[in-house]
Amino acid sequence: RSVEGSLALMGSAILLAMVAVGIDKIQRRLDIDNMFVEMAKLTAVLLSAWSWIYWGDLQIVPLADSKFLGLALMCLIYSAAAVLGLVFLETVLACLPSWKIVERSIDLFIVGIAWIVALPSEQAFDEASETISEAMDYPSWSLRMLISFLMASIMVPSWFAFILPKTLQTETEVQSLSPDVNIDEQQQVHTVTTKAKSSDKDQE
């Protein structure tokens, strides 16, 4: 049953990924801008990611001595697969730049692999916090809160130092495009108005 279930999960994951790519191809070819079509595409990507996670629970997690080590091993394998997959797709795109389906597949691959890596990481975090709380005889919620504060103390300063300034810079660059157009239009209007006033003075 385990072999049949793992094969079924792997086949469904691949099939759902192909469905997502097919929907994206039809959407771009027919220029369909519909919320329901976009939701169907992302749903197929998410279901494919969940299928890969369940497959990992059946095939990768039991390889280790404990559930935490199995989840950590699954995170490591999926992270390595994410890097190798991106390198492969980028290489194919560099060799065949006219093959647009590869470029679109990269975007969907990033969305799917983000779920595949993030969800097992969350499972590993929960399992590790429960194991440590049992060993130290502390309530699991207190340990999770402590670890959350520690992670926030690391992530929040980095977010303020790097991510936020880059985001604000990008928004400023985007917003600076429209005022340029308005300035040009104002200069044209000012020039026309000045010429009209000068012609009126000449007539007088």
Side-chain angles (χ1 to χ4, degrees), residues 1-2 14 27 46-47 53 69 104 134 156 169 172 191:
R1 292 181 180 179
S2 177
I14 297 173
Q27 184 181 12
L46 183 58
L47 290 175
I53 292 171
L69 292 177
R104 298 161 189 165
E134 291 176 359
V156 172
Q169 180 182 358
T172 304
T191 303

Side-chain angles (χ1 to χ4, degrees), residues 16-17 19-24 27 34-48 108:
L16 287 167
V19 169
V21 174
I23 293 174
D24 184 76
Q27 184 181 12
N34 189 289
M35 181 183 65
F36 296 103
V37 177
E38 189 71 19
M39 289 177 60
K41 179 178 64 176
L42 294 178
T43 301
V45 174
L46 183 58
L47 290 175
S48 177
L108 295 176

